[in-house]
Amino acid sequence: MKLSVKEIATVVGAKNEILIDAPINKIEFDSRLIQPGDLFLPLKGARDGHDFIPVAFENGALITFAEHPVDEPHLLVDDALTAFQKLAAYYLEKTQVPVVAVTGSNGKTTTKDMIAAVLSKKFKTYKTQGNHNNEIGLPYTVLAMPDDTEMLVLEMGMDHPGDIDFLSELAKPELAVITLIGEAHLEFMGSRENIAKGKMGITAGLHGELIAPADKIINPYIPENQKISRFGAGEDLYVTSLVERKEALTFTVNFLDESITLPAPGRFNADNAMLAAYVGTKYGVAPTAIKEALETVELTRNRTEWKKAANGADILSDVYNANPTAMKLILETFQAIPKNEGGRKLVVLADMLELGPRADELHMGIAESLDFNILDEIFLFGEHMGELYDTIKNMKSAKHFRDFDDMCEAVQSSLSPRDQILLKGSNSMNLASLIELLEKNKEE
């Protein structure tokens, strides 16, 4: 990090006299991760981070932010998080590293990974690590980027109105990507229109091109004179051919003379990869390099991923998070893949959370995406999935469970070695534990 204590003090407007002037190694908000030469950031959470300042200095902290005088060397500020965010904005301006911003109700992490892989073919590229995509994680990513970074790919998450606006104004991207407008966080956002408006907040600090879906719901929120490329059938960017297989898909796009085989399932990933390819072309990455990057990309785990049960059955795991759009997309993908010879198709669908007053209605709507000619068994888990069960129970033999252990036992008893099984639900519904059970044993 190319910052000194006194430079930081000037940027954040520290209110005390600073006697130390030395370069900072890095900034950490977890006192356990502090190493010699670091600056500690005490945040307020379940515990006040100021309580951990002594631990940070035991681990070698050089200095800390503080909102009140402390015994240790400190930079006195009104609000530690605000100072941290201000410092990140300053650091981007100082380093002049170009920023590509990515948001969307689904696919933003995968698309971020793909864009970074493509840009890495030409530039020293750093990207959001894990899920550091909020008002703490994004500035942390900015200040953690290596000194030789030439391109920065930042994921921007949203829980409440205005979240994306703030992150965009901090990062000031020169290119921004919106993957999809879905129903994630309806409980906090109120309507899909509000979600569209919230995602379009990515233009608040944008000083370049926006890449967005053809979905008309965003049209009222496109700023005047905003340069924009739309993707989808008949738009500026579109997939021209697609062959889908269990663990990969091969596709072509209208702006690239390359056929790309992506090592990931899901036709929605063809769109994600297309967006990454387009970003690559905007920054002069060679078509062959784009192809190579996407064909060898390593994606963040716990998204859509094929696994093996102990008895040999194929598990399609998509249990990181869930909303109606994501559930419909993964069902479409799962149902399009041919069955294994002699095997069946099973699905386990668990509640989608944070959908607000329309939760029951949106769960019932999943029925439209279930192909009863393809699916052999349907296991539904959770209170809201009871609404879907009531909708489909006369059309297809389905089972509904409110008890997790009962559901696990039923799935384990039913799953045969040649079967394929899809699991999809919100992370807190704990389907990851069922996957672990299936991977571990089939008979115990």
Side-chain angles (χ1 to χ4, degrees):
M1 178 185 294
K2 300 174 181 177
L3 290 171
S4 69
V5 171
K6 288 206 169 179
E7 184 179 8
I8 294 172
T10 300
V11 172
V12 303
K15 298 186 293 183
N16 59 324
E17 184 180 0
I18 309 301
L19 300 178
I20 298 173
D21 190 18
I24 289 294
N25 179 27
K26 65 183 191 310
I27 300 177
E28 291 289 353
F29 53 82
D30 185 336
S31 60
R32 296 166 297 184
L33 300 179
I34 287 286
Q35 296 176 341
D38 289 353
L39 187 157
F40 179 55
L41 172 67
L43 297 175
K44 293 185 177 71
R47 293 274 305 274
D48 187 339
H50 288 74
D51 296 343
F52 298 96
I53 288 176
V55 176
F57 276 86
E58 287 174 9
N59 290 335
L62 178 67
I63 198 165
T64 181
F65 283 125
E67 295 173 7
H68 54 75
V70 295
D71 293 335
E72 295 81 3
H74 61 280
L75 299 171
L76 187 62
V77 295
D78 290 328
D79 185 279
L81 178 56
T82 300
F84 181 56
Q85 294 163 341
K86 187 174 182 179
L87 184 63
Y90 166 82
Y91 196 59
L92 278 175
E93 185 176 348
K94 176 182 179 177
T95 58
Q96 291 293 298
V97 174
V99 171
V100 176
V102 184
T103 193
S105 299
N106 296 99
K108 59 182 175 291
T109 299
T110 298
T111 304
K112 173 259 299 182
D113 288 339
M114 292 177 175
I115 290 173
V118 168
L119 293 177
S120 293
K121 289 295 181 180
K122 183 176 179 181
F123 306 98
K124 296 283 188 181
T125 303
Y126 191 65
K127 66 179 180 179
T128 299
Q129 305 295 301
N131 62 347
H132 285 171
N133 62 11
N134 62 8
E135 75 280 5
I136 299 171
L138 185 140
Y140 182 82
T141 301
V142 169
L143 292 167
M145 66 178 172
D147 290 347
D148 63 352
T149 300
E150 296 173 316
M151 292 291 301
L152 183 60
V153 185
L154 293 177
E155 180 180 327
M156 296 182 176
M158 178 179 75
D159 289 327
H160 300 90
D163 287 351
I164 303 292
D165 300 65
F166 173 78
L167 297 176
S168 179
E169 288 171 348
L170 188 159
K172 294 181 172 52
E174 66 175 32
L175 189 66
V177 176
I178 299 176
T179 61
L180 185 72
I181 305 297
E183 302 93 350
H185 308 303
L186 269 177
E187 181 179 357
F188 307 114
M189 300 300 295
S191 68
R192 191 165 172 265
E193 286 74 18
N194 286 342
I195 291 172
K197 183 179 180 181
K199 294 297 184 185
M200 285 297 292
I202 204 167
T203 62
L206 178 64
H207 56 95
E209 183 175 352
L210 173 67
I211 307 165
D215 196 335
K216 294 179 181 178
I217 199 167
I218 70 169
N219 290 359
Y221 312 113
I222 301 173
E224 188 176 357
N225 299 323
Q226 173 64 57
K227 183 179 181 182
I228 184 170
S229 293
R230 308 294 287 266
F231 64 91
E235 297 292 332
D236 303 307
L237 318 172
Y238 57 90
V239 174
T240 52
S241 68
L242 175 65
V243 177
E244 199 167 2
R245 296 180 298 283
K246 191 179 80 172
E247 296 183 348
L249 48 90
T250 300
F251 69 97
T252 55
V253 296
N254 65 310
F255 57 87
L256 204 63
D257 292 330
E258 297 284 350
S259 174
I260 296 169
T261 297
L262 190 71
R267 60 185 63 187
F268 50 87
N269 273 324
D271 276 346
N272 296 336
M274 174 181 68
L275 298 176
Y278 182 68
V279 172
T281 63
K282 298 297 292 184
Y283 284 100
V285 182
T288 53
I290 292 173
K291 173 183 172 70
E292 182 181 354
L294 292 173
E295 292 191 339
T296 58
V297 66
E298 293 185 9
L299 302 177
T300 301
R301 294 180 64 81
N302 294 327
R303 268 57 180 182
T304 309
E305 183 180 10
W306 282 102
K307 297 172 175 282
K308 271 287 184 185
N311 70 348
D314 293 317
I315 304 169
L316 184 55
S317 167
D318 195 351
V319 298
Y320 176 76
N321 218 331
N323 59 62
T325 301
M327 191 166 282
K328 291 173 182 178
L329 287 171
I330 196 61
L331 281 166
E332 180 183 78
T333 288
F334 183 67
Q335 291 167 164
I337 295 168
K339 293 181 180 180
N340 296 331
E341 186 176 349
R344 302 170 301 151
K345 278 190 179 289
L346 291 68
V347 295
V348 179
L349 305 179
D351 279 358
M352 303 172 286
L353 305 180
E354 298 182 358
L355 294 181
R358 294 184 58 209
D360 288 344
E361 172 194 346
L362 292 168
H363 280 77
M364 290 167 59
I366 297 298
E368 301 170 2
S369 298
L370 298 171
D371 190 330
F372 302 115
N373 295 317
I374 292 175
L375 299 177
D376 297 287
E377 282 198 74
I378 300 171
F379 299 87
L380 304 174
F381 171 55
E383 180 182 350
H384 294 301
M385 278 298 170
E387 301 296 325
L388 177 57
Y389 174 73
D390 289 340
T391 303
I392 69 172
K393 63 184 179 183
N394 294 327
M395 294 181 281
K396 183 72 178 183
S397 176
K399 300 181 179 70
H400 177 234
F401 302 87
R402 284 188 168 84
D403 182 83
F404 182 76
D405 291 337
D406 289 347
M407 184 267 295
C408 290
E409 183 177 345
V411 172
Q412 287 179 287
S413 298
S414 179
L415 190 65
S416 298
R418 298 295 300 165
D419 291 345
Q420 298 171 354
I421 183 169
L422 164 68
L423 294 94
K424 179 69 175 175
S426 284
N427 191 37
S428 58
M429 296 304 291
N430 203 28
L431 291 185
S433 294
L434 173 54
I435 292 173
E436 289 178 7
L437 286 173
L438 297 176
E439 289 180 311
K440 190 178 299 182
N441 60 69
K442 64 174 181 178
E443 295 174 351
E444 291 183 11

